[in-house]
Amino acid sequence: RFARARALGVVIVQNPSHFTIRPIMETRLGAARMARSQVVKSMLAAGVPLALGSDGPQSPWLNMLFATTHPVNPAEALTREQVLIAYTAGSAFAEFSEASKGMLRAGMLADLAVLSQDALTVPAEQLPAIQSVLTLVGGEIVHDAGIVSADE
């Protein structure tokens, strides 16, 4: 089904907030076509590269919630690991930068965020509340929430 897209080198760049527009999708597409829409899990399984972005909500964690529940087409929901890979390695691939960023590997660029919760294990409803407590870009601290641990 997706062999031609893969052969042509198509990269899917998706905003998970679009998975929340069910009323619009139902009205315009109808139930049968909607079941075949936004099939990111199927495309990924077929080897079509996926990148995620967020030109809507500023929170990648809210978008992770949308991508892992996929309100319009739940059968096409991604795992949290797939979402993280699409945001990092997938996005680097989409911009032809996979040789220099997108993975934690020696010699690669690495911006870093220390998060308030573990995005892989926190209950789904708590994903949107995740915040960066420390952010480094290019090796420089660009955000420090100043949170002090109980041990200090």
Side-chain angles (χ1 to χ4, degrees), residues 2-11 48-49:
F2 303 109
R4 186 165 187 217
R6 188 177 60 245
L8 290 172
V10 169
V11 177
V48 178

Side-chain angles (χ1 to χ4, degrees), residues 125-149:
E125 66 276 3
Q126 292 179 18
L127 281 167
I130 293 176
Q131 296 181 15
S132 174
V133 296
L134 180 70
T135 306
L136 286 83
V137 176
E140 300 292 323
I141 296 173
V142 297
H143 170 73
D144 185 348
I147 296 174
V148 179
S149 74

Side-chain angles (χ1 to χ4, degrees), residues 1 11 17 28 38 45 51 56 58 66 68 76 83 100 106 110-111 123 132-133 138 141 145:
R1 177 174 173 188
V11 177
S17 68
R28 297 202 175 158
Q38 300 174 326
Q58 299 272 323
F66 297 152
T68 58
E76 290 294 322
V83 171
S100 62
D111 298 335
S132 174
V133 296
I141 296 173

